[in-house]
């Protein structure tokens, strides 16, 4: 690396650095300590044989599966930040220096493949989180773990704070922080390419295709046509597409029937972990946390959509204006904070839904749901049907609705309440350690900021490589707003950390 390159890299590093205050340092240290404790207590639980996977196999299998799941989740989450942020950038700028990134982009940005990837990826996230839950969630809450008090076990194991902390920090936020600034370097590997192909295969399977029916219904309801980069489907392609939609509706209906039947009959893990909770309340909690997930998924779409509008056009009601005033306070300083708090709340809800939908039926005792085979019952006990329901009804549907009706989400009083909760969770610093680990990961992997390779948006424009214009209408019926849309490749306004204002970073650049 030449002296000029070293100086340029150093200036970009300085632009992304934030001032380390005593309070911020305390949050970093406390979060890392909490992360270490969470890992220890969850691993200790696994080696008691008191989780579904460790009981069915052995603790080492559960630990290895959980570790691999967290590693893969980190790629799934980080890759989204890269692939959603790179479309405006001319790929010729990184074609020669990052050939595998170029391969990822060539596949993901062809036609409507980015939406296909995001739909498949959404199911992968839920599936992986459910796997982590089966590996690290207790079957019997009364089993001793390291001699810890019942209150500590309740919070960290039964409620799942331990799994939430290490899943958010290790499996999501650390790579999201790096990938939001190092998009080009982050996916320049075959692990990322494999993950992209896997997500595309998941979408092609048709399990999630009922989401496309919802997409078309919302398009008609909003009066906004879906923007597509492909020709209308016809002939065999048309029949094959709608055939998978019907198959997906059948799968979704079966999954809902299984879940509701088990909940009303007290045959889920809810009756084991919380035996005093009535079955009817369990059904209510199932739909309640699905709605919470849906609101948070839709809110990020709506927030990024209105961020592109003039300030006077944001919010048309009392709560809409209060939401915008809080979210875009200063220079949008609370938007990254919302993303962090949202992540904690969503993962917490995912784990709860996983516990609610996980079945507690022993195969071979004549109680198999709907009289299915013992093998099918053993599979359903892992709760993966809950991942299908949550992906379609609590995630993709709400994201599509928010892309069609962003103002409706913005003006909803629940949106303001959830925003306040998300910002409070970020303020607590529970996941502040993610920035420490992100810095370590960046050093170890040698990740460079995007502007080192392609310059800032202003530099690209000056060099006749201006970013493609993306209008708000292009968000309608699409999931691309669900990542980090609005954070431009090579800019300094993504997940730098709990900064006071983007102005401070720009002044340092």
């Amino acid at each position: 690396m030449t002296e000029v390159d070293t100086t340029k890299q150093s200036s970009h590093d300085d632009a992304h650095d934030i001032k380390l205050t005593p309070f911020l340092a305390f949050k970093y240290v406390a979060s890392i300590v909490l992360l270490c404790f969470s890992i220890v207590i969850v691993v200790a639980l696994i080696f008691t044989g008191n989780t579904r996977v460790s009981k069915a196999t052995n603790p080492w299998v559960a630990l290895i599966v959980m570790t691999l799941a967290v590693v893969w989740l980190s790629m799934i989450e980080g890759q989204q930040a890269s692939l959603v942020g790179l479309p405006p950038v001319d790929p010729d700028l990184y074609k020669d220096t990052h050939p595998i990134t170029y391969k990822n982009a060539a596949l993901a940005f062809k036609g409507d493949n980015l939406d296909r990837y995001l739909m498949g990826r959404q199911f992968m996230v839920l599936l992986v989180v459910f796997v982590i839950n089966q590996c690290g969630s207790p079957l019997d809450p009364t089993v001793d773990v390291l001699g810890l008090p019942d209150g500590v076990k309740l919070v960290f194991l039964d409620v799942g704070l331990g799994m939430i902390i290490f899943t958010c920090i290790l499996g999501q936020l650390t790579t999201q922080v790096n990938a939001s600034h190092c998009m080009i370097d982050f996916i320049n590997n075959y692990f990322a390419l494999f993950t992209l192909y896997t997500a595309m295969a998941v979408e092609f399977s048709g399990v999630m295709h009922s989401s496309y029916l919802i997409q078309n219904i919302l398009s008609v309801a909003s009066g906004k046509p879906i923007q597509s980069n492909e020709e209308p489907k016809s002939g065999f392609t048309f029949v094959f597409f709608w055939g998978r939609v019907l198959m997906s509706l059948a799968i979704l209906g079966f999954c809902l029937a299984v879940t509701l039947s088990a909940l009303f009959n007290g045959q889920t893990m809810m009756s084991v972990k919380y035996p005093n909770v009535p079955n009817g309340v369990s059904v209510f909690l199932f739909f309640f946390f699905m709605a919470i997930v849906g609101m948070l998924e839709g809110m990020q779409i709506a927030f990024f959509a209105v961020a592109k509008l003039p300030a006077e056009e944001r919010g048309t009601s009392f709560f809409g204006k209060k939401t915008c005033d809080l979210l875009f306070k200063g220079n949008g300083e609370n938007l990254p904070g919302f993303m962090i708090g949202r992540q904690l709340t969503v993962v917490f809800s995912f784990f709860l839904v996983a516990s609610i939908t996980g079945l507690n039926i022993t195969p071979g005792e004549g109680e198999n749901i709907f009289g299915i085979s013992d093998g099918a019952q053993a599979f359903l006990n892992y709760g993966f049907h809950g991942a299908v329901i949550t992906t379609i009804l609590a995630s993709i549907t709400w994201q599509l609705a928010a892309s069609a009706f962003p103002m409706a989400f913005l003006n909803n009083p629940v949106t303001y309440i959830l925003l306040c909760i998300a910002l409070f969770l970020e303020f607590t610093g529970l996941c502040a350690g993610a920035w420490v680990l992100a810095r370590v990961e960046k050093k170890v992997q040698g990740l460079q900021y995007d502007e080192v390779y392609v310059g800032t948006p202003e530099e690209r424009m000056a060099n006749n490589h201006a970013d493609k214009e993306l209008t708000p209408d292009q968000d309608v019926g699409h999931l691309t707003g669900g990542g980090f849309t609005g954070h431009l490749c090579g800019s300094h306004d993504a997940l730098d950390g709990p900064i006071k204002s983007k102005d401070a970073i720009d002044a340092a650049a």
Side-chain angles (χ1 to χ4, degrees), residues 441-477:
E441 180 192 46
K442 183 175 180 295
K443 290 288 185 183
V444 170
Q445 295 187 7
L447 302 176
Q448 300 294 332
Y449 291 117
D450 293 314
E451 53 266 40
V452 172
Y453 304 112
V454 298
T456 64
E458 294 76 17
E459 289 171 343
R460 292 195 293 273
M461 180 178 293
N463 292 326
N464 296 320
H465 285 284
D467 292 351
K468 298 176 184 176
E469 290 289 338
L470 299 178
T471 65
D473 288 340
Q474 291 174 278
D475 291 338
V476 176

Side-chain angles (χ1 to χ4, degrees), residues 62-83:
L63 179 60
I64 292 171
V65 170
M66 186 176 70
T67 302
L68 293 176
V70 171
V71 170
W72 200 9
L73 181 63
S74 69
M75 172 53 72
I76 295 170
E77 294 285 10
Q79 185 183 49
Q80 180 198 24
S82 294
L83 290 180

Side-chain angles (χ1 to χ4, degrees), residues 15-35:
H16 288 281
D17 284 341
I18 61 173
K19 183 179 180 180
L20 186 63
T21 64
F23 180 59
L24 190 54
F26 170 78
K27 290 205 292 186
Y28 285 160
V29 173
S31 178
I32 293 295
V33 170
L34 185 61
L35 171 64

Side-chain angles (χ1 to χ4, degrees), residues 93 203 374 395 454 462 475:
L93 292 173
E203 188 278 340
D374 290 347
S395 184
V454 298
D475 291 338

Side-chain angles (χ1 to χ4, degrees), residues 277-296:
V277 176
N279 295 339
V281 175
S282 295
V283 175
F284 168 78
L285 291 175
F286 170 64
F287 286 106
F288 175 77
F289 284 109
M290 292 262 286
I292 293 296
V293 170
M295 281 297 301
L296 290 166

Side-chain angles (χ1 to χ4, degrees), residues 244 252 283 393 434 475:
R244 285 178 291 171
L252 177 61
V283 175
L393 298 183
D475 291 338

Side-chain angles (χ1 to χ4, degrees), residues 171-185:
Q172 297 179 307
L173 293 177
T174 297
T175 51
Q176 286 179 349
V177 168
N178 280 331
S180 67
H181 291 304
C182 310
M183 303 176 190
I184 297 172
D185 269 348

